[in-house]
Amino acid sequence: MGEHQVSGFSIDVGGSKCFDDDGRLKRTGTVWTASAHIITAVIRAVIGSGVLSLAWATAQLGWIAGPAVMFLFSFVTYYTSTLLAACYRSGDPVNGKRNYTYMEAVRSNLGGFKVKICGWVQYLNLFGVAIGYTIASAISMMAIKRSNCFHASGGKNPCHMNSNPYMIAFGIVEIIFSQIPDFDQLWWLSIVAAVMSFTYSTIGLGLGIAQVAANGKIRGSLTGITVGTVTQTQKIWGSFQALGDIAFAYSYSLILIEIQDTLKAPPAESKTMKKATLVSVGVTTLFYMLCGCMGYAAFGDLSPGNLLTGFGFYNPFWLLDIANAAIVIHLVGAYQVYCQPLFAFIEKSAAERFPRSEFITKDIKIPVPGFRPYNLNLFRLVWRTLFVILTTLISMLLPFFNDIVGLLGAVGFWPLTVYFPVEMYISQKKIPKWSKRWLCLQILSMACLIISIAAAAGSIAGIMLDLKSYKPFSTSY
């Protein structure tokens, strides 16, 4: 029986076949589990940058620029993700030192102050996304309740309700799921969440096709929403926000290294990750194109921010109930996929700072009939529970936080999805300065920086508008 360190905790497992080359428990991830993690993370639901907002984004840009921008960002995301995947191991891509987190990859390849910048941007984004998901899930749960209430009253009751109980319910579920120790054990939750994301996307797509058939024509224009429907200024801000929505809809780089760290080898993790990225980005791009374009074809300039709200008042309500239930289930999984890197960072830091504290490092084995014993860690139990409570409270206090998440996404998109992967790849491959490849990578980086700045400006405009009618803890729909 040998004792090994796994994420700061000591465990005893017999037999070397149970461990990888770094002494950690053998990784079991495959192309399909990694693809499920990515799809769960990429297909954002109802929160500013998500599959259901892409009809609105397409409406701002029009039939030419909308699909073109979607295709462009799918390619940029795939390309920069392959650069980042190559940085999982330092030096040799097969036997080099593993980088377990995005921050470790930055530390190994770039070092210095850039590591702190990366950490702040990454973990602030993860924290913000957790709050955004709490708000989004409450909106979907209320949509189910309101549709049933509306139809039970024959349309006489407007069925207004407060969002707080639904946010609390979501928080309670997340407290339970947050006790799953690490990313590698989340594969089943990610697969369920990925299936749910395709469920509500398919329903949105199907309703869009039905609406186009009912209209008898394809709506929309080559240049997007017309000045007159909105002012010139609103069109400019809308176009900026649309660029941001589409860019962030593909953004999962902030958890890519953590997903890659679940993959088994051989083959080399970078090869498996490239395949998983190709599969997931290809599949999600197809859905994005279909949902965005069919939603725009159905509603034209009046395309809603959430595609599912555009089909009359909850009709057909039973189908929309299924879609909203799928969104809630997807968000339960997506919350965990996004929060696991943050959980792991805090727990590893605490274990390194207080290695002799039994509260932090000791696991209590709890027998589970028919399964392996569950390792209960008291620090994990307390800190993750407090984290979920905090995100739930902020969601109740700032129900317009989705716009703030949009701002965080704008600030985080360029450094995490483009800048750091490009710079780390240049460093690792020793690409000469001012060479043709170096110049192409820098031009890509600068173009994405400009898009991030424009999207941030659009998000700030949205936040200023929200603050005019803001009342804490009193949001109803």
Side-chain angles (χ1 to χ4, degrees):
M1 298 287 269
E3 189 177 88
H4 292 259
Q5 288 288 324
V6 181
S7 299
F9 306 111
S10 295
I11 60 170
D12 292 313
V13 180
S16 60
K17 288 182 181 179
C18 295
F19 297 91
D20 274 326
D21 54 2
D22 58 346
R24 294 197 174 193
L25 282 174
K26 203 142 192 83
R27 294 159 176 84
T28 57
T30 64
V31 168
W32 304 112
T33 61
S35 297
H37 283 315
I38 294 168
I39 290 168
T40 301
V42 170
I43 300 189
R44 314 281 184 85
V46 200
I47 63 161
S49 53
V51 62
L52 297 175
S53 71
L54 289 174
W56 177 87
T58 307
Q60 309 310 304
L61 300 171
W63 279 118
I64 296 174
V69 168
M70 267 189 253
F71 181 77
L72 176 66
F73 275 108
S74 70
F75 174 75
V76 168
T77 302
Y78 170 72
Y79 180 66
T80 57
S81 295
T82 60
L83 301 184
L84 185 55
C87 299
Y88 172 64
R89 287 184 184 263
S90 298
D92 186 73
V94 178
N95 300 311
K97 175 188 167 291
R98 295 174 188 262
N99 297 304
Y100 302 116
T101 66
Y102 198 127
M103 272 183 74
E104 284 186 28
V106 174
R107 184 178 288 112
S108 297
N109 291 283
L110 302 176
F113 187 62
K114 290 179 181 178
V115 179
K116 289 185 178 179
I117 295 173
C118 170
W120 276 105
V121 173
Q122 183 187 13
Y123 295 124
L124 193 60
N125 261 275
L126 294 173
F127 182 69
V129 166
I131 296 166
Y133 282 166
T134 304
I135 296 166
S137 67
I139 292 170
S140 288
M141 283 188 272
M142 285 189 296
I144 296 170
K145 181 75 174 174
R146 286 186 69 194
S147 70
N148 292 326
C149 165
F150 180 76
H151 284 277
S153 67
K156 295 174 184 176
N157 186 348
C159 303
H160 291 300
M161 56 191 68
N162 193 288
S163 61
N164 292 344
Y166 299 93
M167 292 184 187
I168 292 168
F170 183 79
I172 291 168
V173 172
E174 292 302 343
I175 286 173
I176 296 167
F177 279 110
S178 69
Q179 295 310 310
I180 296 172
D182 55 51
F183 230 137
D184 203 31
Q185 296 172 38
L186 275 177
W187 63 269
W188 61 273
L189 190 58
S190 278
I191 289 172
V192 170
V195 170
M196 291 300 106
S197 66
F198 286 123
T199 300
Y200 66 73
S201 299
T202 303
I203 290 172
L205 172 62
L207 291 173
I209 293 169
Q211 188 71 41
V212 171
N215 295 340
K217 64 176 181 178
I218 293 175
R219 292 179 176 172
S221 66
L222 295 179
T223 56
I225 194 165
T226 52
V227 176
T229 307
V230 294
T231 66
Q232 183 68 49
T233 305
Q234 286 173 326
K235 181 166 174 63
I236 292 169
W237 287 128
S239 297
F240 285 169
Q241 284 183 297
L243 283 174
D245 275 11
I246 293 170
F248 313 146
Y250 287 101
S251 181
Y252 66 95
S253 298
L254 69 171
I255 57 170
L256 184 144
I257 295 290
E258 284 81 354
I259 293 173
Q260 194 166 343
D261 192 43
T262 67
L263 298 176
K264 63 183 178 183
E269 299 88 352
S270 58
K271 287 185 179 179
T272 305
M273 199 64 196
K274 284 175 184 176
K275 287 180 185 175
T277 297
L278 184 62
V279 168
S280 50
V281 171
V283 169
T284 51
T285 299
L286 177 63
F287 266 82
Y288 283 176
M289 287 283 191
L290 289 171
C291 289
C293 292
M294 289 311 303
Y296 184 40
F299 298 108
D301 285 356
L302 301 177
S303 294
N306 173 1
L307 183 59
L308 293 179
T309 65
F311 303 101
F313 192 75
Y314 304 109
N315 272 313
F317 79 99
W318 59 270
L319 193 58
L320 291 169
D321 283 355
I322 293 171
N324 279 300
I327 288 170
V328 174
I329 296 168
H330 170 232
L331 288 171
V332 169
Y335 185 104
Q336 291 303 319
V337 168
Y338 266 90
C339 289
Q340 281 293 334
L342 179 55
F343 291 161
F345 171 72
I346 296 294
E347 285 154 23
K348 183 184 176 185
S349 300
E352 287 173 353
R353 187 159 187 176
F354 306 103
R356 296 183 181 179
S357 169
E358 288 196 354
F359 173 70
I360 293 172
T361 60
K362 187 178 179 181
D363 283 351
I364 302 167
K365 291 191 181 295
I366 298 175
V368 181
F371 296 93
R372 293 179 182 175
Y374 174 74
N375 292 322
L376 174 67
N377 178 270
L378 292 177
F379 176 68
R380 183 174 66 227
L381 175 66
V382 172
W383 123 255
R384 293 191 184 188
T385 300
L386 289 174
F387 173 86
V388 176
I389 290 171
L390 178 62
T391 57
T392 306
L393 282 173
I394 294 175
S395 303
M396 292 159 64
L397 181 64
L398 300 173
F400 62 84
F401 198 86
N402 286 337
D403 285 324
I404 298 175
V405 172
L407 178 60
L408 290 173
V411 172
F413 168 72
W414 174 68
L416 295 176
T417 302
V418 184
Y419 175 75
F420 284 123
V422 163
E423 293 299 315
M424 286 192 289
Y425 187 77
I426 287 172
S427 171
Q428 189 168 63
K429 300 298 181 184
K430 297 180 172 57
I431 298 171
K433 205 170 187 179
W434 304 112
S435 66
K436 192 175 180 180
R437 193 170 193 192
W438 184 90
L439 281 170
C440 288
L441 289 168
Q442 296 300 334
I443 290 167
L444 171 67
S445 184
M446 288 305 298
C448 291
L449 172 61
I450 292 166
I451 290 166
S452 270
I453 292 169
S459 294
I460 290 168
I463 291 168
M464 299 304 290
L465 198 64
D466 287 326
L467 286 171
K468 290 180 181 177
S469 57
Y470 166 61
K471 289 182 182 178
F473 294 112
S474 61
T475 301
S476 61
Y477 295 87

